[in-house]
Amino acid sequence: MEESGLLASVYQPPRARRAWRFEEVLGHDRLRYFSLGRWALKEALRLAGAEPGKAVLLPGYLCREVVASVAVLGARPVYYGLTPALEPAAHPRDWPQACAVVAVNFFGFAQDLAPFEEYCRRTGALLIEDNCHGLFSRDGQGRALGCRAPLGIFSLRKSMPLPDGGALAVNDPALWGQAAGQLPFTPRPAGKRRWLRELAPIVGAKGAWSAIRLGRRLRALKAGQELPPPDPEGEARIPGTPEPCAELGGPQLCAEPQAETERRRALYAFCADLLAGCGVTPVFPSLPEHATPYLFPYHAAGEAADKAESKLNACGLFSLPWPDLPVEVAAAAPQHYKDIRGAHFLW
Ligand SMILES: Cc1ncc(COP(=O)(O)O)c(C=O)c1O
């Protein structure tokens, strides 16, 4: 793909050349679809026995809304720390007791599951592989992320232009009998970014970015801030209803696995080159062979962050900080939880 087409694909990704099914990615059909990854995580936690009085072990570096999947079951979140490279900071023998532990493949990069498996062997906890960022991504041995633990969760809507979409993969056949039935596939509106996708092929990435910037300025005039504020109830409730959109009821026609992996890897390489020398530090030292990156994540602060943003904006790209941390973590969070930004590959 030539450079201008590659950059415009952030706003209008190419359609699939062939219809494909998610089961092909997983290698099995023990699968349940939901509207959001959070509903899929709630069902995974229910299968793991999360209920009032039980604890669920989560990474401290996490989007605060994910805590809602624990809260709606009446269970209690507890946290393990992460290093700047987003690996566990302490030995699993020092992690608190829980009925389930969630390992996250941050930004599509495979988390080493060995410490998590050790924790589960010792405590009897169930391992859930959160692959909400890593659709189509594989580890060094070529294993699909989200399929390496008894349960895997996905947020399909983050990696494909769908109105919504989450999924639970019940990788351990022994758990399948306890899984709830598939909820009905429900028609949903295409979403507010549709106009941008239609505009992008005409105006290119720079034009699409100008339209976003204009939208942000109008919001700032109206509401006092450029980006929508976090939902104050976000840690306590999962928004909407759990039924998946109608598009997930049949073969997929968007974001074909191989082409999408190539597109995302090319964008990652582009951002890595563009931001080299800006004074920002990529979260991961390199892009592993089989990884399908969700975005280009980097640690940045002050002038270096501004310089990087200007370079991205000049190409029609932009970054956002991630995440809004859980309230319990935020007060004592280390700097490396607070200075990560990501240049996005789908809008
Ligand atoms: C690591 C991780 N897991 C789960 C989720 C939840 O996905 P969804 O927004 O589809 O509910 C998110 C959302 O940001 C996430 O970042």
Side-chain angles (χ1 to χ4, degrees):
M1 210 186 283
E2 61 168 73
E3 194 174 291
S4 63
L6 179 67
L7 297 175
S9 75
V10 169
Y11 303 95
Q12 170 66 293
R15 300 267 299 165
R17 283 163 299 199
R18 68 172 183 97
W20 58 278
R21 303 193 78 92
F22 191 35
E23 289 84 339
E24 292 169 31
V25 176
L26 299 182
H28 65 74
D29 60 2
R30 292 181 301 281
L31 177 64
R32 291 290 180 243
Y33 289 105
F34 296 89
S35 57
L36 295 172
R38 279 161 278 181
W39 291 111
L41 179 57
K42 180 199 167 205
E43 172 65 357
L45 291 171
R46 188 190 68 79
L47 290 172
E51 58 184 19
K54 297 271 178 72
V56 171
L57 188 50
L58 302 172
Y61 177 74
L62 191 66
C63 175
R64 60 192 281 275
E65 274 95 6
V66 180
V67 176
S69 305
V70 179
V72 292
L73 290 166
R76 182 170 49 90
V78 288
Y79 298 95
Y80 59 91
L82 293 172
T83 67
L86 306 183
E87 292 160 347
H91 193 276
R93 84 170 85 80
D94 299 324
W95 299 353
Q97 180 71 36
C99 68
V101 57
V102 178
V104 179
N105 299 312
F106 289 102
F107 312 123
F109 286 70
Q111 185 67 250
D112 176 9
L113 296 186
F116 297 90
E117 288 162 350
E118 185 180 332
Y119 175 82
C120 291
R121 269 194 304 276
R122 187 173 59 77
T123 62
L126 197 73
L127 177 55
I128 299 170
E129 185 181 10
D130 178 332
N131 195 37
C132 283
H133 297 175
L135 184 66
F136 309 140
S137 200
R138 295 178 178 271
D139 70 6
Q141 290 134 55
R143 291 181 301 168
L145 303 193
C147 295
R148 304 179 302 156
L151 297 168
I153 62 154
F154 296 81
S155 178
L156 303 166
R157 70 187 189 98
K158 289 196 203 306
S159 299
M160 299 199 286
L162 290 165
D164 66 33
L168 167 67
V170 183
N171 302 315
D172 180 352
L175 294 169
W176 183 234
Q178 299 153 51
Q182 176 61 60
L183 293 164
F185 296 95
T186 308
R188 293 267 156 70
K192 53 182 190 260
R193 290 181 192 150
R194 188 170 160 194
W195 63 270
L196 197 56
R197 295 199 178 120
E198 279 164 19
L199 193 68
I202 306 162
V203 299
K206 287 186 203 166
W209 161 240
S210 300
I212 290 180
R213 200 165 36 189
L214 181 65
R216 285 191 190 171
R217 287 191 179 147
L218 290 176
R219 190 189 289 123
L221 282 177
K222 227 166 95 184
Q225 52 193 76
E226 284 203 351
L227 298 176
D231 174 3
E233 290 294 302
E235 288 190 44
R237 62 173 192 101
I238 307 176
T241 58
E243 301 82 23
C245 65
E247 286 83 342
L248 290 173
Q252 289 310 306
L253 280 166
C254 56
E256 178 191 335
Q258 182 61 31
E260 185 58 8
T261 296
E262 285 164 16
R263 182 182 82 85
R264 286 172 177 272
R265 290 182 66 88
L267 279 163
Y268 188 97
F270 179 87
C271 290
D273 275 357
L274 184 73
L275 302 190
C278 281
V280 306
T281 314
V283 171
F284 303 100
S286 62
L287 180 61
E289 195 185 348
H290 303 293
T292 307
Y294 173 44
L295 41 70
F296 179 76
Y298 56 95
H299 294 279
E303 272 178 32
D306 294 343
K307 192 170 166 196
E309 198 59 30
S310 303
K311 284 202 153 197
L312 288 167
N313 293 171
C315 303
L317 303 179
F318 63 94
S319 76
L320 288 171
W322 193 88
D324 283 321
L325 295 165
V327 169
E328 196 183 327
V329 174
Q335 185 55 26
H336 63 264
Y337 286 12
K338 296 190 271 190
D339 67 1
I340 295 185
R341 301 186 68 89
H344 285 254
F345 299 161
L346 174 69
W347 204 244

